[in-house]
Amino acid sequence: MAGHLRERVIQDEVHQNQFLREQYLRELCTQKLCTEYHVNPLRKVRFLNLVHHAAQRPQKKYPETQTESQEIGWEAEPLVSPERQDHRLNHFRVYKDITLYKAKLWLLGEKDHRK
């Protein structure tokens, strides 16, 4: 009786493998490899909205930072108004007659030393 059960188990494995093979061949016949992709013309506007949303700066997309590293520079507006006439913050290089002459002399001297 024990030998009879072994034959039944082996027979079941063969039938099971045959069933799986047939199922595999059926699936293989119905599969199609797609290599070309297109935008659905009915949903083109939605696709463009996704592209434009992805191209935006994070400040425009999200009301708050999403990660800790975004916190640096999130508020990029200057703390002080950038007025060009305010001499406390803007130190421009001013050339007078003597400083302009000396700057040109140094430039000529640097060219001579490079040779």
Side-chain angles (χ1 to χ4, degrees):
M1 187 161 183
H4 184 64
L5 289 175
R6 283 187 187 169
E7 291 176 6
R8 184 179 278 176
V9 172
I10 293 172
Q11 197 175 32
D12 287 341
E13 287 181 12
V14 171
H15 289 297
Q16 186 177 9
N17 286 339
Q18 185 179 5
F19 174 75
L20 291 174
R21 183 177 178 275
E22 289 175 2
Q23 186 178 3
Y24 168 74
L25 290 175
R26 273 191 231 121
E27 288 178 1
L28 193 61
C29 290
T30 59
Q31 287 181 353
K32 180 181 176 185
L33 180 64
C34 296
T35 57
E36 295 181 11
Y37 300 98
H38 304 284
V39 177
N40 186 352
L42 301 175
R43 298 190 181 243
K44 190 181 289 187
V45 176
R46 183 180 176 195
F47 176 74
L48 290 175
N49 288 340
L50 289 173
V51 169
H52 291 304
H53 180 72
Q56 287 180 344
R57 296 185 350 218
Q59 290 91 344
K60 300 282 184 182
K61 284 194 253 183
Y62 310 112
E64 295 179 356
T65 59
Q66 300 297 307
T67 62
E68 290 289 326
S69 62
Q70 282 182 343
E71 288 182 4
I72 300 171
W74 187 262
E75 300 292 333
E77 297 174 4
L79 299 174
V80 180
S81 62
E83 294 180 13
R84 303 292 284 175
Q85 303 301 324
D86 190 6
H87 294 290
R88 294 177 296 168
L89 301 174
N90 300 313
H91 304 286
F92 300 108
R93 184 175 289 183
V94 179
Y95 288 109
K96 305 255 186 205
D97 291 338
I98 189 71
T99 55
L100 188 59
Y101 169 77
K102 193 63 174 176
K104 287 186 180 183
L105 184 66
W106 279 343
L107 285 176
L108 290 174
E110 288 178 3
K111 289 179 183 175
D112 291 338
H113 288 295
R114 289 181 188 169
K115 291 181 182 178

